[in-house]
Amino acid sequence: MRLFFILIAILIISNVNSQDLKQHRWENRVVLIVAQDEDSRAYQEQITKFNSLPKELKERKIIVYQVLPDRYKLMNCQLKGEKNEWITSPIIFDDFAKKGEEFKVILMGLDGGIKLEKTEVLTTTELFGTIDAMPMRRAEMKNKNK
């Protein structure tokens, strides 16, 4: 009986954590910066690139998650006065990291599908170019200009 309750608790916790990404579907594009080590040069460089362009990220409805093996969080530049704390969970890392990969950046579209995946630092030019070429983004830009 005890094992049953432990399994139920694990399933509930897993479902709650996976909901973090699902909550953005049809509202935001999600970028995951995934690394084995917080001190990784590529990881730190990618965070710096994105932190320098909060307006451009917001304009394209981009939410960025920093993902490490045992925890994840939203990037600091995307929170308005809220305390940005790490959520302890390996779920997102386990879902997206592949064995032997030190670093990865993943772009998920509004539909939740993976649109771009790189194992090196993603330039903002490539990220924004990929997004701006998407049909939904083109419609957003067209409606904005009306």
Side-chain angles (χ1 to χ4, degrees), residues 3 9 26-27 58 87 102 129:
L3 180 60
W26 303 115
E27 297 292 324
K58 183 177 181 179
I87 296 170
E102 293 295 317

Side-chain angles (χ1 to χ4, degrees), residues 4-5 9 12-13 20 35 41 43 47 54 58-60 84 93 115-116 146:
F4 174 74
F5 287 117
I12 290 170
I13 290 168
D20 281 357
R41 181 203 54 78
Y43 177 77
I47 290 168
K58 183 177 181 179
E59 179 185 321
R60 290 171 177 85
N84 190 12
F93 183 86
K115 308 301 180 188
L116 180 66
K146 284 187 176 181

Side-chain angles (χ1 to χ4, degrees), residues 69-81:
D70 59 345
R71 63 192 189 275
Y72 66 92
K73 72 175 179 174
L74 275 172
M75 272 188 36
N76 286 330
C77 69
Q78 298 182 303
L79 298 171
K80 297 173 186 141

